[in-house]
Amino acid sequence: MENRYSRNRIYMTKKEQKQIKDFPILLGGCGIGSVIAECALRFGFENITVVDGDQVEMSNLNRQNYTEQNISESKAMAVEKRLKHINQKAKIVAVDDFLDKENLKHHLQGKRVAINALDFSSDVPLHFDRVCQEQNIPVLHPYNLGWAGLLLVIHPEGLCLQAIQKNIGDFNEVDVVRYASEQMKFCGKPEPWIDEVIEKYQAEKKALPPPQLAVGSWILASMTTHVLFNIATGKRYKIFPEFYLSSLMND
């Protein structure tokens, strides 16, 4: 095991470290994706493509992996520059563009896993999942719940998120979070604070993006990297409608 990853010993074998090194990942969306990308790279994933057409804003700095010097820069390019400063030999590809129905298949070529960190401002995130299933690519969906992280994995032969859509019309992050909360209640492990956050968010007078914290970003980065490791090395991982929820609120 090369010196860069010598402290990974015991937690993973030399074979596993080698397995993940060139495992190709597509990361769609460089919001929470900016934090996930760094955690995955430091862990040993050295083949990462990041795609996002957005620019860094001041409001991103409370939870995303950018600095004031990055404001107004391309998110994808800023992520690439940071990752290259960590490991200049890694294969980091940045695409300053929004994923859409026209370019998605192109960006998925050669990838083994995808991370769907896109905003639900359109139906592109759901289209993302469908195309990945057609290409036999598992998809990870990370959600920042402030004091917790929620992660779902769409399997090529499994259900899509639309399976939990109750009403015809818009489908967004709130529907996914509400689903997870209802399932936790069903299992006898309720997280009532999640329902309180949803209620307060929906009661806001203006249409605003969901509230998120840096805490949730770093929890999610760890969770996502762990599941990426399990997928890359052939270990078991939970498949939707199961999910991962890691919360600090009950500690």
Side-chain angles (χ1 to χ4, degrees):
M1 188 178 293
E2 67 172 283
N3 188 56
R4 178 185 296 273
Y5 302 116
S6 61
R7 298 288 287 268
N8 286 3
R9 71 187 192 283
I10 300 177
Y11 296 106
M12 72 172 79
T13 65
K14 291 182 179 180
K15 178 182 177 181
E16 290 169 339
Q17 192 76 63
K18 186 177 180 180
Q19 281 179 294
I20 71 172
K21 182 177 185 294
D22 296 313
F23 193 78
I25 299 168
L26 174 66
L27 203 163
C30 293
I32 179 60
S34 64
V35 187
I36 293 171
E38 179 166 333
C39 187
L41 177 67
R42 290 186 183 278
F43 190 78
F45 287 95
E46 297 185 11
N47 188 347
I48 305 172
T49 297
V50 296
V51 184
D52 197 323
D54 207 355
Q55 294 181 331
V56 180
E57 300 176 357
M58 182 67 75
S59 61
N60 301 144
L61 302 188
N62 82 311
R63 68 201 183 282
Q64 297 177 14
N65 211 6
Y66 304 107
T67 68
E68 290 185 358
Q69 285 67 42
N70 296 130
I71 291 175
S72 297
E73 291 182 3
S74 156
K75 284 188 174 182
M77 298 305 175
V79 168
E80 179 190 35
K81 181 168 59 177
R82 182 173 176 87
L83 297 186
K84 282 292 189 179
H85 283 162
I86 296 169
N87 185 345
Q88 60 182 345
K89 294 182 179 179
K91 182 181 179 181
I92 309 298
V93 177
V95 181
D96 182 14
D97 194 10
F98 292 104
L99 283 172
D100 57 35
K101 295 178 181 180
E102 283 69 44
N103 63 24
L104 185 53
K105 286 186 178 180
H106 169 72
H107 292 306
L108 283 169
Q109 288 180 4
K111 304 303 184 293
R112 299 281 301 280
V113 67
I115 300 171
N116 190 341
L118 304 173
D119 294 332
F120 275 82
S121 55
S122 70
D123 64 345
V124 173
L126 296 176
H127 181 74
F128 186 115
D129 291 354
R130 289 192 292 271
V131 174
C132 285
Q133 287 189 311
E134 293 171 2
Q135 302 291 325
N136 198 36
I137 299 172
V139 185
L140 281 63
H141 275 265
Y143 297 93
N144 183 331
L145 304 189
W147 301 114
L150 172 64
L151 180 66
L152 301 89
V153 184
I154 306 301
H155 189 270
E157 298 178 0
L159 296 173
C160 285
L161 289 184
Q162 278 185 300
I164 62 177
Q165 187 173 10
K166 293 182 177 179
N167 301 308
I168 297 175
D170 293 337
F171 181 82
N172 56 41
E173 297 93 332
V174 174
D175 296 291
V176 180
V177 175
R178 185 178 287 112
Y179 163 78
S181 178
E182 291 174 354
Q183 292 302 305
M184 294 300 289
K185 294 173 189 173
F186 180 79
C187 295
K189 300 177 181 179
E191 297 276 356
W193 67 274
I194 295 179
D195 294 329
E196 293 174 8
V197 170
I198 292 175
E199 183 178 348
K200 290 179 180 178
Y201 169 57
Q202 294 187 318
E204 289 182 327
K205 295 180 180 179
K206 295 192 298 182
L208 298 170
Q212 298 174 333
L213 301 175
V215 175
S217 294
W218 265 263
I219 291 173
L220 265 177
S222 302
M223 295 167 66
T224 304
T225 300
H226 180 219
V227 174
L228 287 171
F229 173 70
N230 285 351
I231 292 173
T233 57
K235 294 179 173 57
R236 182 191 176 278
Y237 57 95
K238 294 180 181 179
I239 298 169
F240 178 72
E242 290 188 283
F243 55 87
Y244 296 88
L245 178 66
S246 180
S247 170
L248 300 176
M249 293 297 283
N250 294 325
D251 289 349

